[in-house]
Coordinates of all heavy atoms in Angstrom, one line a residue:
I254 N 48.7 -34.4 33.6 CA 49.3 -35.5 33.0 C 48.7 -36.8 33.5 O 48.5 -37.6 32.8 CB 50.9 -35.5 33.1 CG1 51.4 -34.2 32.7 CG2 51.4 -36.7 32.6 CD1 52.4 -34.2 31.6
A255 N 48.5 -36.9 34.8 CA 48.0 -38.1 35.3 C 46.6 -38.3 34.8 O 46.2 -39.6 34.4 CB 47.8 -38.1 36.8
V256 N 45.7 -37.3 34.6 CA 44.4 -37.5 34.0 C 44.5 -38.1 32.6 O 43.8 -38.9 32.2 CB 43.7 -36.2 34.1 CG1 42.3 -36.3 33.3 CG2 43.4 -35.7 35.5
L257 N 45.3 -37.5 31.9 CA 45.6 -37.9 30.4 C 46.1 -39.5 30.3 O 45.5 -40.1 29.5 CB 46.5 -37.0 29.6 CG 46.1 -35.5 29.5 CD1 47.2 -34.7 28.9 CD2 44.9 -35.5 28.6
I258 N 47.0 -39.8 31.2 CA 47.5 -41.1 31.1 C 46.4 -42.0 31.6 O 46.2 -43.1 31.0 CB 48.8 -41.3 32.0 CG1 49.9 -40.4 31.3 CG2 49.1 -42.6 32.3 CD1 51.2 -40.2 32.2
G259 N 45.7 -41.7 32.7 CA 44.6 -42.5 33.2 C 43.6 -42.8 32.2 O 43.1 -43.9 32.0
R260 N 43.1 -41.7 31.6 CA 42.0 -41.8 30.5 C 42.5 -42.8 29.4 O 41.8 -43.6 28.9 CB 41.6 -40.5 30.1 CG 40.8 -39.8 31.1 CD 40.4 -38.4 30.5 NE 39.7 -37.6 31.5 CZ 39.5 -36.3 31.5 NH1 39.9 -35.7 30.3 NH2 38.7 -35.8 32.4
A261 N 43.7 -42.6 28.9 CA 44.3 -43.4 27.8 C 44.4 -44.9 28.3 O 43.9 -45.7 27.5 CB 45.7 -42.8 27.5
L262 N 44.8 -45.1 29.4 CA 44.9 -46.5 29.9 C 43.5 -47.2 30.1 O 43.3 -48.4 29.8 CB 45.7 -46.7 31.2 CG 47.1 -46.3 31.1 CD1 47.8 -46.2 32.5 CD2 47.8 -47.3 30.2
L263 N 42.5 -46.3 30.5 CA 41.1 -46.9 30.6 C 40.5 -47.2 29.2 O 39.8 -48.1 29.0 CB 40.3 -45.9 31.3 CG 40.5 -45.9 32.9 CD1 39.7 -44.8 33.6 CD2 40.3 -47.2 33.5
A264 N 40.8 -46.2 28.2 CA 40.2 -46.3 26.9 C 40.9 -47.5 26.1 O 40.4 -48.1 25.3 CB 40.3 -45.1 26.2
Y265 N 42.2 -47.6 26.4 CA 43.0 -48.6 25.6 C 43.8 -49.4 26.6 O 45.1 -49.2 26.8 CB 43.9 -47.9 24.6 CG 43.2 -47.0 23.7 CD1 43.1 -45.5 23.9 CD2 42.5 -47.5 22.6 CE1 42.4 -44.8 23.1 CE2 41.8 -46.6 21.7 CZ 41.7 -45.2 22.0 OH 41.1 -44.4 21.1
P266 N 43.2 -50.5 27.3 CA 43.8 -51.2 28.4 C 45.2 -51.7 28.0 O 46.0 -52.1 28.9 CB 42.8 -52.1 28.9 CG 41.6 -51.8 28.1 CD 41.8 -50.8 27.0
M267 N 45.4 -52.1 26.8 CA 46.6 -52.8 26.5 C 47.8 -51.9 26.1 O 48.8 -52.3 25.8 CB 46.5 -53.8 25.2 CG 45.3 -54.9 25.7 SD 45.8 -55.9 27.1 CE 47.2 -56.7 26.4
T268 N 47.6 -50.6 26.3 CA 48.5 -49.7 25.9 C 49.6 -49.7 27.0 O 49.5 -49.9 28.1 CB 48.0 -48.2 26.1 OG1 46.9 -48.1 25.1 CG2 49.0 -47.1 25.8
R269 N 51.0 -49.6 26.4 CA 52.1 -49.6 27.4 C 52.6 -48.1 27.5 O 52.8 -47.5 26.4 CB 53.2 -50.5 26.8 CG 52.7 -51.9 26.9 CD 53.9 -52.8 26.4 NE 53.5 -54.2 26.5 CZ 54.3 -55.1 26.2 NH1 55.5 -55.0 26.0 NH2 53.8 -56.4 26.3
V270 N 52.8 -47.7 28.7 CA 53.2 -46.3 28.8 C 54.4 -46.3 29.8 O 54.5 -47.0 30.7 CB 52.1 -45.5 29.5 CG1 52.6 -44.0 29.8 CG2 50.9 -45.4 28.7
V271 N 55.6 -45.7 29.4 CA 56.6 -45.6 30.3 C 56.8 -44.2 30.8 O 56.8 -43.2 30.0 CB 58.0 -45.9 29.4 CG1 59.2 -45.7 30.4 CG2 57.9 -47.3 28.9
V272 N 56.7 -44.1 32.1 CA 56.7 -42.9 32.8 C 57.9 -42.8 33.8 O 58.0 -43.8 34.6 CB 55.4 -42.6 33.5 CG1 55.5 -41.2 34.4 CG2 54.2 -42.5 32.6
T273 N 58.8 -41.9 33.8 CA 59.9 -41.8 34.7 C 59.7 -40.5 35.4 O 59.2 -39.6 34.9 CB 61.2 -42.0 34.1 OG1 61.5 -40.9 33.1 CG2 61.4 -43.2 33.4
D274 N 60.3 -40.4 36.5 CA 60.3 -39.2 37.4 C 61.5 -39.1 38.2 O 62.0 -40.1 38.8 CB 59.1 -39.3 38.4 CG 59.1 -38.2 39.3 OD1 58.8 -37.1 39.0 OD2 59.3 -38.4 40.6
A275 N 62.0 -38.0 38.3 CA 63.3 -37.8 39.0 C 63.1 -37.2 40.4 O 63.8 -36.4 40.9 CB 64.2 -36.6 38.2
N276 N 62.0 -37.8 40.9 CA 61.5 -37.2 42.3 C 61.3 -35.8 42.5 O 61.7 -35.1 43.4 CB 62.6 -37.8 43.4 CG 62.0 -38.0 44.7 OD1 60.7 -38.0 44.9 ND2 62.9 -38.0 45.7
R277 N 60.5 -35.3 41.5 CA 60.3 -33.9 41.5 C 59.0 -33.6 42.5 O 58.2 -34.4 42.8 CB 59.8 -33.4 40.1 CG 60.9 -33.6 39.1 CD 60.6 -32.8 37.9 NE 61.6 -33.1 36.9 CZ 62.8 -32.8 36.8 NH1 63.4 -32.1 37.8 NH2 63.7 -33.1 35.9
Q278 N 58.9 -32.4 42.7 CA 57.8 -31.8 43.5 C 56.5 -32.2 42.7 O 56.4 -32.0 41.6 CB 57.8 -30.3 43.6 CG 56.7 -29.7 44.4 CD 56.7 -28.1 44.5 OE1 57.8 -27.6 44.1 NE2 55.9 -27.6 45.1
G279 N 55.5 -32.7 43.5 CA 54.2 -33.2 42.9 C 54.2 -34.5 42.5 O 53.0 -35.0 42.0
R280 N 55.2 -35.3 42.9 CA 55.3 -36.7 42.6 C 54.0 -37.4 43.1 O 53.3 -38.2 42.5 CB 56.4 -37.3 42.9 CG 56.6 -38.8 42.8 CD 57.9 -39.4 43.4 NE 58.7 -40.0 42.5 CZ 59.7 -40.8 42.7 NH1 60.1 -41.1 43.9 NH2 60.5 -41.4 41.6
Q281 N 53.8 -37.2 44.5 CA 52.7 -37.9 45.2 C 51.4 -37.4 44.7 O 50.4 -38.3 44.5 CB 52.9 -37.7 46.7 CG 51.8 -38.6 47.5 CD 52.0 -40.1 47.0 OE1 53.1 -40.7 47.1 NE2 50.9 -40.8 46.8
D282 N 51.3 -36.1 44.4 CA 50.0 -35.6 43.7 C 49.7 -36.4 42.4 O 48.4 -36.8 42.2 CB 50.0 -34.1 43.5 CG 50.0 -33.4 44.8 OD1 49.6 -33.9 45.8 OD2 50.6 -32.2 44.7
F283 N 50.7 -36.6 41.6 CA 50.5 -37.3 40.3 C 50.0 -38.7 40.6 O 49.1 -39.1 40.0 CB 51.9 -37.4 39.5 CG 51.8 -38.3 38.3 CD1 51.4 -38.0 37.2 CD2 52.3 -39.6 38.6 CE1 51.3 -38.7 36.1 CE2 52.4 -40.5 37.4 CZ 51.9 -40.0 36.1
L284 N 50.7 -39.4 41.5 CA 50.3 -40.9 41.8 C 48.9 -40.9 42.4 O 48.2 -41.8 42.1 CB 51.3 -41.3 42.8 CG 52.7 -41.5 42.3 CD1 53.7 -42.1 43.4 CD2 52.7 -42.6 41.1
S285 N 48.6 -40.0 43.2 CA 47.2 -40.0 43.9 C 46.1 -39.8 42.8 O 45.2 -40.4 42.8 CB 47.1 -38.9 45.0 OG 47.9 -39.2 46.0
E286 N 46.4 -38.9 41.9 CA 45.5 -38.5 40.8 C 45.3 -39.8 39.9 O 44.2 -40.1 39.5 CB 45.8 -37.3 40.1 CG 44.9 -36.9 39.0 CD 43.6 -36.3 39.5 OE1 43.5 -35.9 40.7 OE2 42.5 -36.4 38.9
L287 N 46.4 -40.3 39.6 CA 46.3 -41.5 38.7 C 45.6 -42.6 39.4 O 44.7 -43.2 38.7 CB 47.8 -41.9 38.3 CG 47.8 -43.1 37.3 CD1 47.3 -42.6 36.0 CD2 49.4 -43.5 37.1
D288 N 45.8 -42.8 40.6 CA 45.1 -43.9 41.3 C 43.6 -43.6 41.4 O 42.8 -44.5 41.3 CB 45.7 -44.0 42.8 CG 45.1 -45.3 43.4 OD1 44.9 -46.3 42.7 OD2 44.9 -45.2 44.7
S289 N 43.2 -42.3 41.6 CA 41.9 -42.0 41.7 C 41.0 -42.2 40.3 O 39.9 -42.6 40.3 CB 41.6 -40.5 42.2 OG 42.0 -39.7 41.1
I290 N 41.8 -42.1 39.3 CA 41.2 -42.3 37.9 C 41.2 -43.9 37.6 O 40.2 -44.3 37.2 CB 42.0 -41.6 36.8 CG1 41.9 -40.1 36.9 CG2 41.7 -42.1 35.5 CD1 42.9 -39.4 36.2
L291 N 42.2 -44.5 37.9 CA 42.3 -45.9 37.7 C 41.6 -46.9 38.7 O 41.2 -47.9 38.5 CB 43.7 -46.4 37.4 CG 44.6 -45.7 36.2 CD1 45.9 -46.3 36.3 CD2 43.8 -46.0 34.9
G292 N 41.5 -46.3 39.9 CA 40.9 -47.1 41.0 C 41.6 -48.4 41.4 O 41.0 -49.3 42.0
L293 N 42.9 -48.4 41.2 CA 43.7 -49.7 41.6 C 43.6 -50.0 43.0 O 43.3 -51.1 43.4 CB 45.1 -49.5 41.1 CG 45.3 -49.5 39.6 CD1 46.7 -49.1 39.3 CD2 44.8 -50.8 38.9
S294 N 43.9 -49.1 43.9 CA 43.9 -49.3 45.3 C 42.5 -49.6 45.8 O 42.3 -50.3 46.8 CB 44.5 -48.2 46.1 OG 43.8 -47.0 46.0
L295 N 41.4 -49.1 45.2 CA 40.1 -49.3 45.7 C 39.7 -50.9 45.3 O 38.9 -51.5 46.0 CB 39.1 -48.4 44.9 CG 39.1 -46.9 45.3 CD1 38.2 -46.1 44.5 CD2 38.9 -46.9 46.8
A296 N 40.3 -51.4 44.2 CA 40.0 -52.7 43.8 C 40.9 -53.8 44.5 O 41.0 -55.0 44.2 CB 40.2 -52.9 42.4
G297 N 41.8 -53.3 45.5 CA 42.6 -54.2 46.2 C 44.0 -54.4 45.6 O 44.7 -55.1 46.1
A298 N 44.2 -53.8 44.4 CA 45.6 -53.8 43.8 C 46.4 -52.9 44.6 O 46.0 -52.0 45.2 CB 45.3 -53.6 42.3
T299 N 47.7 -53.0 44.2 CA 48.6 -52.0 44.6 C 48.5 -50.7 44.0 O 48.3 -50.6 42.8 CB 50.1 -52.6 44.3 OG1 50.3 -53.8 44.9 CG2 51.2 -51.6 44.8
A300 N 48.6 -49.5 44.8 CA 48.4 -48.2 44.2 C 49.5 -48.0 43.3 O 50.6 -48.5 43.5 CB 48.3 -47.3 45.3
P301 N 49.4 -47.0 42.3 CA 50.5 -46.6 41.4 C 51.7 -46.2 42.3 O 51.5 -45.4 43.3 CB 49.9 -45.6 40.6 CG 48.5 -45.8 40.6 CD 48.1 -46.3 41.9
H302 N 52.8 -46.5 41.9 CA 54.0 -46.1 42.6 C 55.3 -46.0 41.6 O 55.2 -46.6 40.5 CB 54.3 -47.1 43.8 CG 54.7 -48.5 43.4 ND1 53.6 -49.3 43.1 CD2 55.8 -49.1 43.3 CE1 54.2 -50.4 42.8 NE2 55.4 -50.4 42.9
F303 N 56.2 -45.4 42.1 CA 57.5 -45.3 41.3 C 58.5 -46.3 42.0 O 58.8 -46.2 43.1 CB 58.1 -43.9 41.3 CG 57.3 -43.0 40.3 CD1 56.4 -42.1 40.8 CD2 57.5 -43.0 39.0 CE1 55.7 -41.2 40.0 CE2 56.9 -42.2 38.2 CZ 55.9 -41.2 38.6
Q304 N 59.1 -47.1 41.1 CA 60.2 -47.9 41.5 C 61.6 -47.4 41.1 O 61.7 -46.9 39.9 CB 60.0 -49.4 40.8 CG 61.1 -50.3 41.1 CD 60.9 -51.6 40.3 OE1 59.9 -51.9 39.9 NE2 62.0 -52.3 40.3
A305 N 62.5 -47.2 42.0 CA 63.8 -46.8 41.7 C 64.5 -47.7 40.7 O 64.6 -48.8 40.9 CB 64.7 -46.4 42.9
V306 N 65.0 -47.1 39.6 CA 65.8 -47.8 38.6 C 66.9 -46.9 38.2 O 66.9 -45.7 38.2 CB 64.9 -48.2 37.4 CG1 63.8 -49.2 37.7 CG2 64.4 -47.0 36.7
P307 N 68.0 -47.6 37.8 CA 69.2 -46.8 37.3 C 68.9 -46.2 36.1 O 68.2 -46.7 35.2 CB 70.4 -47.8 37.3 CG 69.8 -49.2 37.4 CD 68.3 -49.1 37.9
V308 N 69.6 -44.9 35.9 CA 69.5 -44.3 34.5 C 70.4 -45.2 33.6 O 71.6 -45.6 33.9 CB 70.1 -42.9 34.6 CG1 70.1 -42.3 33.2 CG2 69.2 -42.0 35.5
P309 N 69.7 -45.6 32.4 CA 70.5 -46.4 31.5 C 71.7 -45.7 30.8 O 71.6 -44.5 30.7 CB 69.5 -46.8 30.4 CG 68.4 -45.9 30.5 CD 68.4 -45.4 32.0
A310 N 72.7 -46.5 30.5 CA 73.9 -45.9 29.9 C 73.6 -45.2 28.5 O 74.2 -44.3 28.2 CB 74.8 -46.9 29.8
W311 N 72.6 -45.6 27.8 CA 72.2 -45.0 26.6 C 71.5 -43.7 26.6 O 71.3 -43.0 25.6 CB 71.3 -46.1 25.8 CG 70.0 -46.6 26.4 CD1 69.9 -47.7 27.0 CD2 68.9 -45.8 26.5 NE1 68.7 -47.8 27.5 CE2 68.0 -46.7 27.3 CE3 68.3 -44.6 26.2 CZ2 66.7 -46.3 27.6 CZ3 67.1 -44.2 26.5 CH2 66.3 -45.1 27.2
A312 N 71.1 -43.3 27.9 CA 70.4 -42.0 27.9 C 71.3 -40.9 27.6 O 72.5 -40.9 28.0 CB 70.0 -41.9 29.4
A313 N 70.8 -40.0 26.7 CA 71.6 -38.9 26.3 C 72.2 -38.1 27.3 O 71.6 -37.5 28.1 CB 70.7 -38.1 25.4
D314 N 73.5 -38.3 27.5 CA 74.3 -37.6 28.4 C 74.0 -37.9 29.9 O 74.5 -37.3 30.7 CB 74.3 -36.1 28.3 CG 74.9 -35.7 26.9 OD1 75.8 -36.2 26.4 OD2 74.3 -34.6 26.4
E315 N 73.0 -38.7 29.9 CA 72.6 -39.1 31.3 C 72.1 -37.9 32.2 O 72.1 -37.9 33.3 CB 73.5 -40.0 32.1 CG 73.8 -41.3 31.3 CD 74.8 -42.2 32.2 OE1 75.0 -41.9 33.2 OE2 75.4 -43.0 31.6
A316 N 71.7 -36.7 31.5 CA 71.5 -35.5 32.1 C 70.0 -35.3 32.3 O 69.2 -35.7 31.1 CB 72.1 -34.3 31.4
D317 N 69.4 -34.8 33.3 CA 68.0 -34.4 33.3 C 67.7 -33.3 32.4 O 68.4 -32.2 32.5 CB 67.7 -34.0 34.9 CG 66.3 -33.8 35.0 OD1 65.6 -33.0 34.3 OD2 65.6 -34.4 35.8
P318 N 66.8 -33.4 31.5 CA 66.5 -32.4 30.5 C 65.9 -31.0 31.1 O 66.0 -30.1 30.5 CB 65.5 -33.1 29.5 CG 64.9 -34.1 30.3 CD 65.9 -34.5 31.3
F319 N 65.5 -31.1 32.3 CA 64.9 -29.9 32.9 C 65.9 -29.0 33.7 O 65.9 -27.9 33.7 CB 63.7 -30.3 33.8 CG 62.7 -30.9 33.1 CD1 62.5 -32.3 33.0 CD2 61.7 -30.2 32.3 CE1 61.4 -32.9 32.3 CE2 60.6 -30.7 31.6 CZ 60.5 -32.1 31.5
D320 N 66.8 -29.8 34.5 CA 67.8 -28.9 35.2 C 69.2 -29.3 35.0 O 70.1 -28.8 35.6 CB 67.3 -29.1 36.8 CG 67.6 -30.5 37.3 OD1 68.2 -31.4 36.5 OD2 67.1 -30.8 38.4
G321 N 69.5 -30.2 34.2 CA 70.8 -30.6 33.7 C 71.5 -31.4 34.7 O 72.8 -31.7 34.6
S322 N 70.8 -31.8 35.9 CA 71.5 -32.7 36.8 C 71.8 -34.1 36.2 O 71.3 -34.5 35.2 CB 70.6 -32.7 38.1 OG 69.4 -33.5 37.8
M323 N 72.6 -34.9 37.0 CA 73.1 -36.1 36.5 C 72.6 -37.2 37.4 O 73.4 -37.7 38.3 CB 74.6 -36.2 36.3 CG 75.1 -35.1 35.4 SD 74.9 -35.5 33.6 CE 76.2 -36.6 33.3
P324 N 71.2 -37.5 37.5 CA 70.8 -38.5 38.4 C 71.3 -39.8 38.2 O 71.5 -40.2 37.1 CB 69.2 -38.3 38.4 CG 69.0 -37.9 36.9 CD 70.2 -37.0 36.6
E325 N 71.5 -40.6 39.2 CA 72.0 -42.0 39.0 C 70.8 -42.9 38.8 O 70.9 -44.0 38.4 CB 72.8 -42.5 40.2 CG 74.1 -41.7 40.2 CD 74.9 -42.2 41.5 OE1 74.7 -43.3 42.1 OE2 76.0 -41.4 41.8
E326 N 69.6 -42.5 39.4 CA 68.4 -43.3 39.2 C 67.2 -42.3 39.0 O 67.3 -41.2 39.3 CB 68.2 -44.2 40.4 CG 68.0 -43.5 41.7 CD 67.9 -44.5 42.9 OE1 68.5 -45.6 42.8 OE2 67.1 -44.1 43.8
V327 N 66.1 -42.9 38.5 CA 64.9 -42.3 38.4 C 63.8 -43.3 38.9 O 64.1 -44.4 39.0 CB 64.6 -41.9 36.9 CG1 65.6 -40.8 36.4 CG2 64.6 -43.1 36.0
G328 N 62.6 -42.7 39.0 CA 61.4 -43.7 39.3 C 60.7 -44.1 38.1 O 60.4 -43.3 37.3
L329 N 60.5 -45.4 38.0 CA 59.8 -46.0 36.9 C 58.3 -46.3 37.3 O 58.2 -46.9 38.5 CB 60.5 -47.3 36.3 CG 59.7 -48.0 35.3 CD1 59.7 -47.1 34.0 CD2 60.5 -49.3 35.0
L330 N 57.3 -45.7 36.7 CA 55.9 -45.9 37.1 C 55.6 -47.4 37.1 O 55.8 -48.0 36.0 CB 55.0 -45.1 36.3 CG 53.5 -45.2 36.6 CD1 53.3 -44.7 38.0 CD2 52.7 -44.4 35.6
K331 N 55.0 -47.9 38.1 CA 54.6 -49.3 38.4 C 53.0 -49.2 38.6 O 52.6 -48.5 39.5 CB 55.3 -50.0 39.4 CG 56.8 -50.1 39.2 CD 57.2 -50.8 37.9 CE 57.3 -52.2 38.2 NZ 57.8 -53.1 37.1
L332 N 52.3 -50.1 37.9 CA 50.9 -50.0 38.1 C 50.4 -51.4 38.7 O 49.2 -51.7 38.8 CB 50.1 -49.8 36.8 CG 50.3 -48.4 36.2 CD1 49.6 -48.3 34.9 CD2 49.9 -47.3 37.1
S333 N 51.3 -52.2 39.2 CA 51.0 -53.5 39.8 C 52.0 -53.9 41.0 O 53.0 -53.2 41.0 CB 50.8 -54.5 38.8 OG 52.2 -54.8 38.2

């Protein structure tokens, strides 16, 4: 997924992508792969990271669609 997102952002730089993560296994691998594609940390910019944000009230049942848990927050992908 990181490869697809990275390629899309390089091909269409003004594209807005919202990526959230419930702190699953592989989170750091995703961030590292995305950074290797975009080269942000090599250019002196902040490496991709997830910022903790509360789950919005409008989220359907506020339940994680994969495991049914009810997280209070998720990570929002930040590229700067």
Side-chain angles (χ1 to χ4, degrees):
I254 301 236
V256 172
L257 295 174
I258 292 171
R260 288 180 182 166
L262 291 173
L263 289 173
Y265 305 99
M267 298 305 291
T268 300
R269 292 184 182 189
V270 177
V271 176
V272 177
T273 60
D274 172 73
N276 203 16
R277 298 195 190 291
Q278 180 180 354
R280 176 187 245 196
Q281 190 56 53
D282 291 337
F283 169 84
L284 292 172
S285 296
E286 183 67 24
L287 186 60
D288 189 35
S289 72
I290 292 166
L291 298 177
L293 293 174
S294 62
L295 294 175
T299 302
H302 61 282
F303 284 101
Q304 175 184 345
V306 296
V308 173
W311 53 260
D314 297 327
E315 299 180 16
D317 184 304
F319 296 101
D320 64 13
S322 66
M323 304 282 279
E325 293 181 15
E326 65 182 29
V327 295
L329 176 64
L330 181 63
K331 302 296 275 185
L332 298 177
S333 61

